[in-house]
């Protein structure tokens, strides 16, 4: 029987309609006004009146301001992310198969022509997001990659973000964020081709802009606030678990964290550690973590590991961290998560920043039906087929019969005429 040792009262109600209306108006103005509208919004919302297109020289100058030790760590992370993405690309294969004699079909994996990668840069400088989105697009074979990030007044895009964007392989970089940044990439402004797909995390306005543009433009997913769930058994260390919860809660007031366990004593210890962990954070992280824990944090006591797995599958978290014995059992049993972190050594922050698998992941329960960003999001899996004479009679008969049963006479006749042509003396002579 599941017992909530700490339940979540939830956030105060708010209207998503206000965000949707604001974004709709902005996108209409940006579509009509083009580059000048982007500049106007950049000045109004970000206090930025500098160049939108970041030149190679500006990237180089910014890179000089990034300390060498940090550059080395960014390169380490980039190498892991690139290797993982290249391994994913190798798993996406073209193939050809003969379904029946003379009926040949296959698939191709075709990279998209242009990607728009959004890199948040407001409260936090999301260096890792630049690596995750751009590196993966490059590994997929996308030939045109545009990246954008919000500039800070009087400073521009954070130097480490620019360094990471360049290292990851961005073809062009725009110093613009928010809805206007998303629109600039979608509409093909400032010399960029129109994006075939928009990817990357962002605030509610960025997410809503992607949602409204979806259709003519692809998106990685409609992302909400980040969320994390920790599964722990009696072998877990209470302080480590507490920090793993608090470390994810610092994302923001609306970031849920959940603990699922089968030991009431461990739960009590974790609950006792949480306030102290939060208190150690600097502001604004401390306030964000406290608000998220108070409103959205949950501690759920289960009878056994199967019940714990059932709860985890029901929540379908973005990040799922298992600190329990028999990791292979958990790896094979758990079915709904964005990314899985196995063992006490494997903190979610590793995946967020540097370990290799992508950190752009489904939130708000979307892991029930989709995975996260990968090279597959930048590829079109398309199919082809070819019919030779020996396969034609049976295939045409089946097609005509099914078409007529459906009431689609035109479809049936496209099959009939091929049978007729096959037995035509003129065709036989022509094929001489």
């Amino acid at each position: 029987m599941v017992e909530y040792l700490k339940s979540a009262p939830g956030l105060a109600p708010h209207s998503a309609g206000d965000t949707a209306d604001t974004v709709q108006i902005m996108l209409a103005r940006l579509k009509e006004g083009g580059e000048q509208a982007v500049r106007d919004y950049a000045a109004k919302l970000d206090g930025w009146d500098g160049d939108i297109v970041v030149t190679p020289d500006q990237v180089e100058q910014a890179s000089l301001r990034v300390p060498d030790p940090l550059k080395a760590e960014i390169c380490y992370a980039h190498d892991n992310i690139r290797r993982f993405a290249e391994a994913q690309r190798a798993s996406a294969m073209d193939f050809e198969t003969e379904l029946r004699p003379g009926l040949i079909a296959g698939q191709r994996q075709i990279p998209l022509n242009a990607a728009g990668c959004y890199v948040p840069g407001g409260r936090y400088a999301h260096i890792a997001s630049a690596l995750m989105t751009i590196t993966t697009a490059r590994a997929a074979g996308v030939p045109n990659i545009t990246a954008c990030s919000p500039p800070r007044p009087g400073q521009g895009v954070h130097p480490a973000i620019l360094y990471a964007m360049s290292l990851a392989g961005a073809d062009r970089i725009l110093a613009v964020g928010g809805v206007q940044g998303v629109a600039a990439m979608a509409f093909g402004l400032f010399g960029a081709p129109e994006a075939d797909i928009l990817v990357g995390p962002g605030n509610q306005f960025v997410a809503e802009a992607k949602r409204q543009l979806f259709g003519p433009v692809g998106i990685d997913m409609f992302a909400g606030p980040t969320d994390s769930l920790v599964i722990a058994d009696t072998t877990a260390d209470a302080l480590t678990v507490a920090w793993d919860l608090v470390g994810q809660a610092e994302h923001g007031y609306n970031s849920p964290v959940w603990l699922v366990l089968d030991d009431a004593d461990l739960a009590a210890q974790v609950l006792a550690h949480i306030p102290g962990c939060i208190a150690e954070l600097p502001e604004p992280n401390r306030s964000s973590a406290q608000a998220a824990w108070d409103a959205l944090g949950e501690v759920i006591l289960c009878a056994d590991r199967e019940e714990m797995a059932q709860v985890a599958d029901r929540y379908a978290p973005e990040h799922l961290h298992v600190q329990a014995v028999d990791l292979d059992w958990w790896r094979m049993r758990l079915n709904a998560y964005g990314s899985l972190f196995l063992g006490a050594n494997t903190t979610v922050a590793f995946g967020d920043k540097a370990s290799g698998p992508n950190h752009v992941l489904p939130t708000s329960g979307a892991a029930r039906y989709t995975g996260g960003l990968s090279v597959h999001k930048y590829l079109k899996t398309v199919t082809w087929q070819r019919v030779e004479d020996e396969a034609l009679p049976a295939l045409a008969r089946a097609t005509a019969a099914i078409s007529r049963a459906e009431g689609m006479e035109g479809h049936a006749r496209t099959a009939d005429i091929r049978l007729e042509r096959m037995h035509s003396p003129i065709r036989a002579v022509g094929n001489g």
Side-chain angles (χ1 to χ4, degrees):
M1 175 69 75
V2 171
E3 179 184 358
Y4 283 75
L5 302 181
K6 181 189 182 300
S7 58
L11 297 171
H14 73 285
S15 173
D18 292 343
T19 299
D21 291 346
T22 298
V23 170
Q24 185 177 29
I25 293 168
M26 290 181 68
L27 288 176
R29 290 175 175 169
L30 288 158
K31 181 70 172 177
E32 177 69 22
E35 293 181 2
Q36 187 55 52
V38 171
R39 292 189 179 94
D40 291 344
Y41 275 122
K44 178 181 177 181
L45 300 177
D46 290 328
W48 179 251
D49 57 5
D51 294 335
I52 299 295
V53 179
V54 181
T55 67
D57 182 64
Q58 288 171 329
V59 173
E60 180 62 29
Q61 291 301 312
S63 297
L64 295 175
R65 301 198 298 273
V66 181
D68 286 341
L70 177 56
K71 285 182 179 176
E73 305 301 355
I74 292 173
C75 288
Y76 167 87
H78 172 255
D79 191 51
N80 289 341
I81 295 162
R82 177 185 57 78
R83 291 185 183 197
F84 188 82
E86 288 175 349
Q88 279 186 328
R89 181 63 183 90
S91 75
M93 296 181 290
D94 295 356
F95 72 79
E96 174 181 316
T97 183
E98 192 165 21
L99 302 171
R100 295 175 184 271
L103 177 54
I104 303 158
Q107 76 173 20
R108 288 183 61 204
Q109 304 288 338
I110 303 176
L112 305 183
N113 179 64
C117 301
Y118 188 90
V119 181
R123 183 193 304 176
Y124 304 116
H126 286 265
I127 299 166
S129 288
L131 300 177
M132 298 288 176
T133 55
I134 300 166
T135 305
T136 308
R138 185 59 69 201
V142 177
N144 296 290
I145 303 172
T146 301
C148 78
S149 189
R152 297 180 178 182
Q155 301 175 40
V157 178
H158 192 285
I161 290 179
L162 287 177
Y163 176 75
M165 285 175 164
S166 178
L167 176 68
D171 295 299
R172 62 195 59 78
I173 298 171
L174 306 180
V176 62
V179 176
Q180 61 271 24
V182 174
M185 296 188 294
F187 300 153
L189 304 179
F190 301 101
E194 293 182 5
D196 297 316
I197 189 169
L198 298 166
V199 304
N203 62 21
Q204 70 267 32
F205 294 98
V206 169
E208 178 61 22
K210 289 166 63 180
R211 188 190 69 80
Q212 291 190 21
L213 289 164
F214 175 63
V217 181
I219 63 173
D220 48 1
M221 66 197 74
F222 181 65
T226 189
D227 59 67
S228 298
L229 188 149
V230 176
I231 289 174
D233 67 9
T234 56
T235 65
D237 175 70
L239 183 58
T240 300
V241 171
W243 267 116
D244 286 333
L245 295 169
V246 171
Q248 289 300 303
E250 79 171 348
H251 274 285
Y253 73 95
N254 55 354
S255 294
V257 290
W258 307 296
L259 173 61
V260 177
L261 71 182
D262 60 358
D263 183 342
D265 289 339
L266 176 62
Q269 293 174 46
V270 173
L271 286 166
H273 282 304
I274 292 286
C277 293
I278 293 175
E280 290 187 29
L281 294 176
E283 289 291 3
N285 312 51
R286 183 190 312 142
S287 295
S288 295
Q290 188 68 62
W293 177 248
D294 289 345
L296 301 173
E298 292 182 338
V299 178
I300 306 166
L301 183 64
C302 299
D304 53 37
R305 68 180 187 177
E306 175 58 30
E307 191 169 67
M308 294 160 71
Q310 291 174 12
V311 170
D313 282 349
R314 187 170 73 248
Y315 275 62
E318 177 187 12
H319 309 98
L320 178 53
H321 188 180
V322 178
Q323 299 185 41
V325 296
D326 200 358
L327 295 178
D328 286 341
W329 183 89
W330 291 101
R331 180 171 58 85
M332 298 305 296
R333 168 59 185 82
L334 295 164
N335 295 313
Y337 53 83
S339 193
L340 181 61
F341 302 81
L342 293 164
N345 282 348
T346 315
T347 181
V348 171
F350 290 165
D352 283 346
K353 309 302 179 187
S355 58
N358 212 285
H359 81 187
V360 181
L361 300 168
T363 64
S364 306
R368 295 191 308 275
Y369 61 82
T370 189
L373 183 62
S374 69
V375 295
H376 305 289
K377 296 281 188 179
Y378 295 104
L379 298 171
K380 296 179 292 186
T381 301
V382 299
T383 59
W384 59 267
Q385 53 197 276
R386 185 176 77 250
V387 181
E388 298 179 351
D389 285 355
E390 57 189 318
L392 183 57
L395 181 59
R397 285 194 300 269
T399 299
I402 293 169
S403 296
R404 289 193 169 99
E406 294 175 343
M408 304 185 77
E409 182 63 23
H411 281 63
R413 294 197 182 196
T414 66
D416 292 343
I417 195 172
R418 282 162 173 79
L419 270 178
E420 295 166 6
R421 287 177 56 238
M422 183 177 184
H423 298 297
S424 166
I426 297 175
R427 181 177 185 272
V429 171
N431 288 347

